[in-house]
Amino acid sequence: MRRTRLRATLLALPALMGIVLTATTPAGAEPAGPPTAGSDRSPLEDEDAVRHVRIQMTGGAMLEKVVDAGIDVGHGLQRVPDGIEAEAVVTAGQVATLTAMGVRILGADEGFEWSHVADGGLRNTSARTAQATAQPANTATARIVRADWFTTKGQGFLYVEARTTEGQQTTPIVGMQLENDSGRGTEFGFARTMSRFVDSGQYMFHRNLFKLDTRPNKIRVTSSTGGVATGVVSDWLENAPPPLTSARGYKSDFIDGYKTPQQLFARAEEIARQYPDIAEIVYLPHETNGYQRKAQATIGGTGQSAVVVSSAAWGHEGGNDITVEFANQPGANLPLAVEVTGKAVRVLLATDAAGAATSTAAEVAAALQTQSQGLIDRAHPYRTNTGTGVVVPTATPVALTDFLDQKRVGAPEGEVPRGPATIPVLRIGKHRDGRNPGVLIQAQDHAREWVPATTTLETAERLVQNFKTDPETKRIVRNTDIFLILSNNPDGANYSFYNFASQRRNMTNHCPDANADPARRNSWGVDLNRNYRVGSGHDGYAGASTSCVSDTFQGPEKLSEPESKNVIWLVEKYSNIKFMMSVHSNGGQLFWQPGAYIADGRITTPRPPLGDEAFYWQSAARILSQVKAHRETVVTPQNVGGSSDVLYSSAGNVREDLYHTYGIYSFGWEVGGSIYNPATGNWQGGSFQPPWVGDPALVSGHAETMEYANGIMEMFRVAADWGKDKKKPSSTLVPGGGTYVRPVDVRFETSEPATIYYTTDGSRPTLESPRYQATEFREPGQVFRVTETTTFKWFSVDTAGNIERNYDPTKNDSRDNYRSATVTIKK
């Protein structure tokens, strides 16, 4: 079902709740002075060398300020009881900026860790367990959201989320206590205080993750106001079926290292030539901006005397051959003049009555733009300066450069092609005619994330090289239509490989003069995953920046970038695409909608219906079980769900647009992340570019590629099963119709993930009727308190579109075979 109606409703929200995102300029180095005698190149003018630090912020509001300040906040975000911790890629100047904002720079041994030691009860509250358990009337004030048991590397863990209806209360802060038994029939014990989490000023829930050597059967949570709830513990990713790689003769492990976009695209085209019966290339229509830059230099001094000069031609097309010289003229009262000889530009500085140079930076910049015979198309004073300073003559001509001729140590050999790139999509399927559900895998929106590209290529290799010999692979290829974008950001990826490893965005420079000097070159570009239309920063949603030097810069307008336009073109051309996964690193999360919210009031984009939410969770369990089967890597339940709930608000992300506009089940995947290290007893974080070969049990690009390829292969199986699903769902009202002597609580249950449409006013249910909803986000379906005789009429629709009992909600005729139950309350 398409969701254009949802999108129309969604886009109307910001008109009432608009937020202005203020752009601020990050700290940066002053331009270098004039080159030394004999120099024939412009100095590299780099900002301070970057380094990775872990920071702690007070919450979502501070995170927003940090992002707007141009700080590169990585994907290692973790909600902690007193704020948010994150990894940041910063310069020394930006460390000072963070400190001034009140952000705490954490030491090597600092940071939040879940407590594994029982603390005996609630801290900072007056509640006592004995009193709380004696007040069953208050149980409604405490609810268990989920209780999951999992094992990894020989260690057991229990993860619990619980919510109190009074969680928003801050005076006093409402706390919750967690206890668990030690198996069926044992007593509760091991009291722990749960951590309270607040995001954007709104209470989310209490939660805990802690080690246990014995699997509990039940848990009990107690709020400080007396509410008590008990619940049964479920298994998370336990007893996963063996992965495809375990089949006899199955071929895998094709990737031998990180791959540049050229290597990825060449292999995709080779696969299409080798396996024409099941593979082809679809070329996306919008060329990228290209791995190219204008040649530049900052010349004439520092501060108010500095002039930023940019060539009209791209560096590789002649801009790098231009030289600019500022020269004194002998004589008095001489005007400013510009001489051009071939690619040599010579600025003759004006003089006063005493013969001293008088030309200011602003004057020289204006002369270069109008008198350089088209060689210079952009010249301006440095950053926000007005250019009132008198420029300094250069000792020798300064050569402009695009700074793209620097080869980083360890980068692959070979010249990087300049100019715009055409992105190929590798399409794999026996029947590529729209009959089968399409699955789009999009890798490397963010340039520095190298593992997603190798993971996606590994899945391609497994599909084509096992098609003839492995029955399950043959089933996938025969029953799905797979589209693989191996690198959606080839320009930025090349820049990450060859110039600046931490590059996140593409290479399109939208910066005005204040940020257009070459020392800012590592800060240009658009975050492609903030450039889409739904829940956009342009409409007031949080998590995208208006600053062109921010790593979450949303672009000047929605879909401003060719890379994002290509994705929309693809899903509109191939309307059979029903599933999508955008693969990122390195947070260790799997998420879906909602992906963004308006910060004031934490107003999220529309949450999926309960049936879609259940389908997402069911699919996630299948996908992540196959990841775990490789080397016991567990993506924990706290990192699964709506991305704005488990990660942060990311305005204008691709998942939101594809789900709400086109009805595509759209996942976001942060591969990598934390892995439990049994040697230390702690969870160890990952990185964007982990060593390809490392400790096979911990951080390794090769191991991450293999295990997450398992997960993508399982997503193909999810889609294949979905496409063949013709079974009608069934649903019931629990405890059901009948006569009751007092008010009764009822709820709906379904045989599979399905959306229920119901009425209680006697009318027949339709697709416009109320939908059965969750009690609260991340919780099961709502409970109806029936206080007087009520008739429920309903039907269910599963995610494949099958309707219970073949009921047709669009027709009003005698075959109204919807479900019905009457709850009679005997007065």
Side-chain angles (χ1 to χ4, degrees), residues 21 33 37 54 84 112 119 158 160 271 300 317 354-355 366 381 416 432 469 521 531 589 633 637 685 733 764 783 786:
L21 300 178
R54 188 146 186 90
I84 299 174
F112 175 74
D119 57 35
L158 175 65
V160 176
I271 286 174
E317 294 179 343
V416 185
R432 302 183 302 280
T469 58
R521 68 188 179 280
N531 193 231
Q589 292 105 5
T633 295
L733 188 70
R764 64 188 298 273
V783 175
V786 181

Short mmCIF file of all heavy atoms in Angstrom, two decimals, residues 21 33 37 54 84 112 119 158 160 271 300 317 354-355 366 381 416 432 469 521 531 589 633 637 685 733 764 783 786:
data_model
loop_
_atom_site.label_atom_id
_atom_site.label_comp_id
_atom_site.label_asym_id
_atom_site.label_seq_id
_atom_site.Cartn_x
_atom_site.Cartn_y
_atom_site.Cartn_z
N LEU A 21 17.02 26.40 12.63
CA LEU A 21 18.30 25.84 13.01
C LEU A 21 19.37 26.89 12.76
O LEU A 21 19.60 27.31 11.63
CB LEU A 21 18.59 24.57 12.19
CG LEU A 21 17.55 23.45 12.36
CD1 LEU A 21 17.92 22.28 11.47
CD2 LEU A 21 17.48 23.03 13.80
N GLY A 33 50.72 32.22 5.85
CA GLY A 33 51.28 33.44 5.31
C GLY A 33 51.82 33.22 3.90
O GLY A 33 51.66 32.16 3.32
N ALA A 37 60.49 31.96 -0.17
CA ALA A 37 61.14 32.21 -1.45
C ALA A 37 61.41 30.90 -2.16
O ALA A 37 61.85 29.92 -1.56
CB ALA A 37 62.46 32.96 -1.22
N ARG A 54 35.93 10.86 22.87
CA ARG A 54 34.60 10.51 23.35
C ARG A 54 34.12 11.67 24.20
O ARG A 54 34.86 12.19 25.04
CB ARG A 54 34.60 9.21 24.13
CG ARG A 54 33.19 8.73 24.46
CD ARG A 54 33.05 7.22 24.45
NE ARG A 54 31.65 6.81 24.63
CZ ARG A 54 30.80 6.63 23.66
NH1 ARG A 54 31.18 6.82 22.41
NH2 ARG A 54 29.55 6.25 23.89
N ILE A 84 23.97 12.11 26.85
CA ILE A 84 24.34 11.32 25.67
C ILE A 84 25.85 11.31 25.56
O ILE A 84 26.50 12.35 25.66
CB ILE A 84 23.74 11.92 24.39
CG1 ILE A 84 22.21 11.92 24.46
CG2 ILE A 84 24.19 11.16 23.15
CD1 ILE A 84 21.56 12.63 23.29
N PHE A 112 30.00 5.78 30.50
CA PHE A 112 28.97 5.03 31.21
C PHE A 112 29.13 3.53 31.00
O PHE A 112 29.37 3.06 29.89
CB PHE A 112 27.59 5.47 30.72
CG PHE A 112 26.45 4.69 31.31
CD1 PHE A 112 26.07 4.88 32.62
CD2 PHE A 112 25.78 3.75 30.56
CE1 PHE A 112 25.02 4.16 33.17
CE2 PHE A 112 24.73 3.02 31.08
CZ PHE A 112 24.36 3.24 32.41
N ASP A 119 22.54 -3.25 43.90
CA ASP A 119 22.74 -2.12 44.80
C ASP A 119 21.76 -2.12 45.96
O ASP A 119 21.75 -1.19 46.77
CB ASP A 119 22.66 -0.79 44.04
CG ASP A 119 21.33 -0.63 43.32
OD1 ASP A 119 20.30 -1.09 43.86
OD2 ASP A 119 21.31 -0.07 42.22
N LEU A 158 20.80 -10.01 30.58
CA LEU A 158 19.38 -9.69 30.66
C LEU A 158 19.21 -8.21 30.35
O LEU A 158 19.84 -7.36 30.98
CB LEU A 158 18.82 -10.00 32.04
CG LEU A 158 17.35 -9.60 32.28
CD1 LEU A 158 16.42 -10.42 31.39
CD2 LEU A 158 16.98 -9.77 33.75
N VAL A 160 16.31 -5.18 30.05
CA VAL A 160 14.95 -4.86 30.47
C VAL A 160 14.64 -3.41 30.15
O VAL A 160 15.47 -2.51 30.40
CB VAL A 160 14.75 -5.11 31.98
CG1 VAL A 160 13.35 -4.70 32.42
CG2 VAL A 160 14.99 -6.58 32.32
N ILE A 271 30.48 -8.81 -12.92
CA ILE A 271 29.47 -9.80 -12.52
C ILE A 271 28.34 -9.84 -13.54
O ILE A 271 27.87 -10.92 -13.93
CB ILE A 271 28.94 -9.48 -11.11
CG1 ILE A 271 29.99 -9.83 -10.04
CG2 ILE A 271 27.63 -10.24 -10.83
CD1 ILE A 271 29.61 -9.41 -8.64
N GLY A 300 48.33 36.70 0.03
CA GLY A 300 48.39 38.12 0.33
C GLY A 300 48.56 38.48 1.78
O GLY A 300 48.52 39.65 2.13
N GLU A 317 41.37 20.24 -15.04
CA GLU A 317 41.09 20.73 -16.39
C GLU A 317 41.75 22.08 -16.66
O GLU A 317 41.35 22.82 -17.54
CB GLU A 317 39.57 20.85 -16.59
CG GLU A 317 38.87 19.49 -16.57
CD GLU A 317 37.36 19.61 -16.75
OE1 GLU A 317 36.83 20.72 -16.56
OE2 GLU A 317 36.73 18.58 -17.07
N ALA A 354 53.78 58.09 -1.98
CA ALA A 354 55.12 57.71 -1.55
C ALA A 354 55.60 56.44 -2.23
O ALA A 354 56.71 55.96 -1.96
CB ALA A 354 55.15 57.52 -0.03
N GLY A 355 54.77 55.86 -3.11
CA GLY A 355 55.16 54.63 -3.81
C GLY A 355 54.89 53.36 -3.02
O GLY A 355 55.30 52.29 -3.45
N ALA A 366 38.16 41.95 -6.11
CA ALA A 366 37.27 42.46 -7.15
C ALA A 366 37.97 42.54 -8.49
O ALA A 366 37.40 42.21 -9.54
CB ALA A 366 36.74 43.83 -6.74
N PRO A 381 37.68 38.26 0.18
CA PRO A 381 38.44 38.29 1.42
C PRO A 381 38.24 37.00 2.22
O PRO A 381 37.25 36.27 2.04
CB PRO A 381 37.86 39.50 2.16
CG PRO A 381 37.30 40.36 1.09
CD PRO A 381 36.77 39.41 0.06
N VAL A 416 42.93 8.28 -9.45
CA VAL A 416 41.50 8.39 -9.21
C VAL A 416 40.88 9.17 -10.37
O VAL A 416 41.31 10.28 -10.66
CB VAL A 416 41.21 9.11 -7.88
CG1 VAL A 416 39.71 9.10 -7.60
CG2 VAL A 416 41.97 8.46 -6.75
N ARG A 432 13.60 -10.50 -13.77
CA ARG A 432 13.77 -9.07 -13.53
C ARG A 432 12.74 -8.29 -14.34
O ARG A 432 13.06 -7.41 -15.14
CB ARG A 432 15.20 -8.65 -13.89
CG ARG A 432 16.25 -9.44 -13.10
CD ARG A 432 17.67 -9.00 -13.37
NE ARG A 432 18.08 -9.09 -14.75
CZ ARG A 432 18.47 -10.21 -15.37
NH1 ARG A 432 18.48 -11.36 -14.69
NH2 ARG A 432 18.84 -10.20 -16.63
N THR A 469 24.28 -24.06 -7.44
CA THR A 469 24.60 -25.21 -6.59
C THR A 469 23.88 -25.23 -5.26
O THR A 469 23.74 -26.30 -4.65
CB THR A 469 26.12 -25.24 -6.32
OG1 THR A 469 26.51 -24.00 -5.70
CG2 THR A 469 26.90 -25.43 -7.61
N ARG A 521 38.33 22.77 3.16
CA ARG A 521 37.95 21.79 2.14
C ARG A 521 37.52 20.45 2.72
O ARG A 521 36.74 19.72 2.10
CB ARG A 521 39.11 21.59 1.16
CG ARG A 521 40.34 20.91 1.75
CD ARG A 521 41.49 20.93 0.76
NE ARG A 521 42.67 20.31 1.33
CZ ARG A 521 43.51 20.92 2.17
NH1 ARG A 521 43.27 22.18 2.53
NH2 ARG A 521 44.56 20.28 2.64
N ASN A 531 19.17 14.60 3.13
CA ASN A 531 18.80 15.37 1.95
C ASN A 531 17.45 14.97 1.37
O ASN A 531 17.09 15.44 0.30
CB ASN A 531 19.92 15.21 0.89
CG ASN A 531 19.81 16.20 -0.25
OD1 ASN A 531 19.84 15.82 -1.42
ND2 ASN A 531 19.69 17.47 0.06
N GLN A 589 23.46 -0.95 15.23
CA GLN A 589 22.01 -0.81 15.40
C GLN A 589 21.30 -1.30 14.15
O GLN A 589 21.86 -1.31 13.05
CB GLN A 589 21.61 0.66 15.64
CG GLN A 589 22.05 1.25 16.95
CD GLN A 589 23.21 2.20 16.80
OE1 GLN A 589 23.63 2.51 15.69
NE2 GLN A 589 23.73 2.68 17.91
N THR A 633 28.25 -12.30 17.50
CA THR A 633 28.05 -10.87 17.67
C THR A 633 26.56 -10.59 17.87
O THR A 633 25.74 -11.00 17.05
CB THR A 633 28.55 -10.11 16.43
OG1 THR A 633 29.96 -10.27 16.32
CG2 THR A 633 28.23 -8.62 16.54
N PRO A 637 18.91 -5.57 22.08
CA PRO A 637 17.56 -5.03 21.86
C PRO A 637 17.47 -3.52 22.04
O PRO A 637 16.63 -2.88 21.41
CB PRO A 637 16.71 -5.76 22.91
CG PRO A 637 17.47 -6.99 23.24
CD PRO A 637 18.92 -6.64 23.10
N GLY A 685 34.06 -1.12 21.56
CA GLY A 685 33.52 -0.40 20.42
C GLY A 685 34.27 -0.66 19.14
O GLY A 685 35.39 -1.20 19.13
N LEU A 733 -10.26 -11.48 19.74
CA LEU A 733 -10.40 -10.55 20.85
C LEU A 733 -10.21 -11.36 22.13
O LEU A 733 -10.87 -12.38 22.33
CB LEU A 733 -11.77 -9.89 20.84
CG LEU A 733 -12.00 -8.76 21.83
CD1 LEU A 733 -11.19 -7.53 21.44
CD2 LEU A 733 -13.49 -8.40 21.90
N ARG A 764 -19.76 -1.14 10.07
CA ARG A 764 -18.85 -2.14 9.51
C ARG A 764 -17.45 -1.52 9.42
O ARG A 764 -17.28 -0.34 9.10
CB ARG A 764 -19.34 -2.62 8.12
CG ARG A 764 -19.35 -1.53 7.07
CD ARG A 764 -20.02 -2.02 5.78
NE ARG A 764 -19.31 -3.13 5.20
CZ ARG A 764 -18.27 -3.02 4.35
NH1 ARG A 764 -17.81 -1.81 4.04
NH2 ARG A 764 -17.72 -4.09 3.83
N VAL A 783 -4.85 -1.95 25.53
CA VAL A 783 -5.87 -2.70 26.26
C VAL A 783 -7.09 -1.81 26.42
O VAL A 783 -6.97 -0.66 26.85
CB VAL A 783 -5.34 -3.18 27.62
CG1 VAL A 783 -6.45 -3.86 28.42
CG2 VAL A 783 -4.15 -4.11 27.43
N VAL A 786 -13.53 -2.19 29.08
CA VAL A 786 -14.93 -2.20 28.68
C VAL A 786 -15.80 -2.10 29.93
O VAL A 786 -15.78 -2.98 30.79
CB VAL A 786 -15.28 -3.49 27.90
CG1 VAL A 786 -16.75 -3.47 27.47
CG2 VAL A 786 -14.37 -3.62 26.68
#
